[in-house]
Amino acid sequence: MSAKLSSPATIGAVLASIGALFIGYVGVMYLVAPQSMAPNFGLPSWPHGEGAGFLAVKGVRDLASGLVILVVLATGNRRILGWVTLAAALTPIGDMLIVLLSGGDPATAFGVHGATAAAVILAGGLLLGGSRTRSPQAVA
């Protein structure tokens, strides 16, 4: 009995699902406990008082990001999911650059946001590489 290996597209879909659930959780946590989440972002300081509303903006952004991936995943179109996932990689790349350019912690910039971007890009690449469509000539 041999073990069947999963296809790259299936692995990509699993990674996208895990990532969507994780970022959705982060978004919810920024909405319900923003002051406990903000220090983990990597910036040297975060908004307090009246400016703390920006933490809710991050929460909504992250929650929406996770939901978009899950909605596209539910359609079953792995090719579109791959493109959407690659586009979503811009968020952690942007977060990494914001942390670095704001004098934040480089370890968090690369270890959290950079690693997240790499995982999202990997998932998108696996989805796109594993969901190639056949040309009409190949089918005939």
Side-chain angles (χ1 to χ4, degrees):
M1 182 184 256
S2 66
K4 184 177 177 184
L5 297 176
S6 296
S7 73
T10 299
I11 295 168
V14 169
L15 287 173
S17 300
I18 292 168
L21 292 171
F22 177 74
I23 199 60
Y25 168 77
V26 169
V28 168
M29 292 307 297
Y30 264 95
L31 291 171
V32 300
Q35 294 301 326
S36 69
M37 293 295 291
N40 300 322
F41 190 79
L43 292 174
S45 64
W46 56 89
H48 295 282
E50 292 178 9
F54 281 102
L55 298 176
V57 170
K58 177 172 173 18
V60 170
R61 178 196 76 171
D62 288 351
L63 181 58
S65 296
L67 289 174
V68 166
I69 296 292
L70 292 175
V71 167
V72 176
L73 183 67
T75 69
N77 188 327
R78 290 186 176 174
R79 189 135 186 91
I80 298 299
L81 179 61
W83 285 113
V84 169
T85 302
L86 285 179
L90 291 175
T91 300
I93 290 169
D95 290 348
M96 178 181 71
L97 292 173
I98 289 166
V99 170
L100 291 171
L101 296 173
S102 299
D105 180 27
T108 303
F110 294 114
V112 173
H113 306 296
T116 299
V120 172
I121 290 168
L122 174 64
L126 288 170
L127 284 159
L128 290 172
S131 63
R132 300 219 185 272
T133 56
R134 290 178 150 176
S135 67
Q137 295 83 10
V139 174

